[in-house]
Amino acid sequence: MVDINYPLRKAYIAKLASLEYESAPVKVFYQIVPDSIATASETLYVVIDSINSNNISTTNSQDLSATVTITVHSYGNKYSNGRAVDNITGQILGLVCTSPAETFDLSSDNLQAVSNTLESDNINSFTTQGNRMYIDRVVRISHNIFLK
């Protein structure tokens, strides 16, 4: 058995490096967001929250399933309409939930994506703090992966 969590994380970071909104790049973090992000000008960022995997091998093949949870965070002045969060989520789904699945490239780690599917998509209730409104959208993407 091999670890697929790290190869998935590498693939996600590479795929999501092209995210942008209104011509500005959108930063992607893995689990931890730097303290400076709260005070910096960035009001939109993505966090790869968790990667969970399970062995689904058969007697004929070595297969794994994995679920990746991604949160798109935004904050801005009150009365934000959430358009930025929706735009970035759409970009993520377009980059990751690809057809054919092999375009989500894991080949450098001797893995092959067999399917990439949106499992769930939730917009958290907005919160406010002072003059800021926070909107988060959480997507869970499941992958079936074949070990070459």
Side-chain angles (χ1 to χ4, degrees):
M1 195 53 50
V2 299
D3 171 34
I4 64 166
N5 291 13
Y6 180 65
L8 271 172
R9 179 171 25 135
K10 288 190 313 185
Y12 265 88
I13 289 171
K15 277 280 190 185
L16 302 183
S18 65
L19 293 176
E20 63 176 40
Y21 183 70
E22 295 182 345
S23 301
V26 175
K27 292 187 178 181
V28 177
F29 302 99
Y30 177 67
Q31 292 191 340
I32 299 171
V33 178
D35 291 337
S36 61
I37 206 79
T39 58
S41 61
E42 288 98 348
T43 59
L44 181 63
Y45 57 93
V46 174
V47 177
I48 301 168
D49 291 313
S50 64
I51 302 172
N52 301 301
S53 59
N54 296 300
N55 183 359
I56 58 168
S57 296
T58 66
T59 56
N60 299 322
S61 66
Q62 290 186 333
D63 303 296
L64 296 151
S65 69
T67 303
V68 179
T69 304
I70 300 170
T71 305
V72 180
H73 295 275
S74 74
Y75 64 87
N77 293 332
K78 278 191 177 178
Y79 312 114
S80 170
N81 63 12
R83 185 179 314 149
V85 171
D86 295 338
N87 180 287
I88 294 303
T89 302
Q91 288 181 56
I92 291 169
L93 296 177
L95 290 166
V96 177
C97 295
T98 56
S99 181
E102 294 83 17
T103 58
F104 190 76
D105 189 14
L106 300 167
S107 61
S108 65
D109 292 288
N110 294 320
L111 302 168
Q112 179 181 341
V114 178
S115 67
N116 309 309
T117 308
L118 176 64
E119 189 174 295
S120 66
D121 181 356
N122 300 300
I123 299 173
N124 292 337
S125 297
F126 73 89
T127 58
T128 58
Q129 183 178 26
N131 287 331
R132 286 189 170 175
M133 177 179 278
Y134 296 82
I135 300 175
D136 299 332
R137 188 164 170 180
V138 181
V139 293
R140 290 174 49 93
I141 300 170
S142 61
H143 301 274
N144 283 338
I145 298 169
F146 170 71
L147 281 65
K148 293 183 181 181

